[in-house]
Amino acid sequence: MSNSIVHILNNDCPHCLKGKVFNEKSIFLNFGFPKMNEYCSHCNYKFEKEPGYFFGAMYVNYGLTVAQGIATYVIAQFFFKETFDLRIIPIIAVVIIAMASINIRLSRLLWIYMFKNYSM
């Protein structure tokens, strides 16, 4: 399990663990919509199995976004006197917008790794 997390964060191919899923070297600190490779450059593994394969990754992205919003609220509440101060909402919005590009890449990688063949 911990090996898979390292490979996900390194943007490695789920089949051979040597190629890259996205064109970028790192999934972090990239802005804009991600550009995925259609096939792995090392083992020729096809990342998108069928049209609409990554629709399920939207649910993973939603879960990541909600978790980040809750974590931001929990951290930000210590800096305000009231339990729920309305000034926390823009802080949560800024964090969610800043993390959107990373969430797209991370959710697609998680989706690919959830459905890879582990019996090999």
Side-chain angles (χ1 to χ4, degrees):
M1 180 71 170
S2 62
N3 257 352
S4 292
I5 293 171
V6 170
H7 290 299
I8 288 170
L9 295 176
N10 284 332
N11 185 23
D12 292 336
C13 170
H15 187 68
C16 68
L17 305 175
K18 295 180 182 174
K20 299 294 181 189
V21 176
F22 291 99
N23 292 337
E24 300 94 6
K25 291 182 180 180
S26 172
I27 64 170
F28 305 107
L29 301 175
N30 292 315
F31 299 102
F33 200 77
K35 294 172 182 70
M36 285 186 65
N37 295 321
E38 190 173 344
Y39 293 94
C40 176
S41 60
H42 190 263
C43 68
N44 212 24
Y45 180 77
K46 186 174 182 178
F47 296 122
E48 187 171 359
K49 303 291 181 203
E50 59 190 20
Y53 177 71
F54 289 111
F55 283 152
M58 291 187 307
Y59 297 105
V60 176
N61 189 357
Y62 176 75
L64 289 172
T65 304
V66 168
Q68 289 165 354
I70 291 171
T72 303
Y73 170 74
V74 168
I75 293 169
Q77 76 173 346
F78 293 115
F79 297 100
F80 296 98
K81 291 180 182 176
E82 296 179 24
T83 303
F84 186 77
D85 195 335
L86 290 178
R87 293 177 289 179
I88 295 176
I89 294 174
I91 295 170
I92 294 171
V94 166
V95 169
I96 288 173
I97 291 170
M99 297 294 291
S101 179
I102 294 170
N103 284 347
I104 291 171
R105 289 170 177 82
L106 192 57
S107 65
R108 285 188 174 201
L109 282 166
L110 287 169
W111 190 253
I112 290 172
Y113 272 79
M114 279 195 296
F115 292 105
K116 87 175 203 171
N117 188 2
Y118 285 98
S119 64
M120 298 174 72

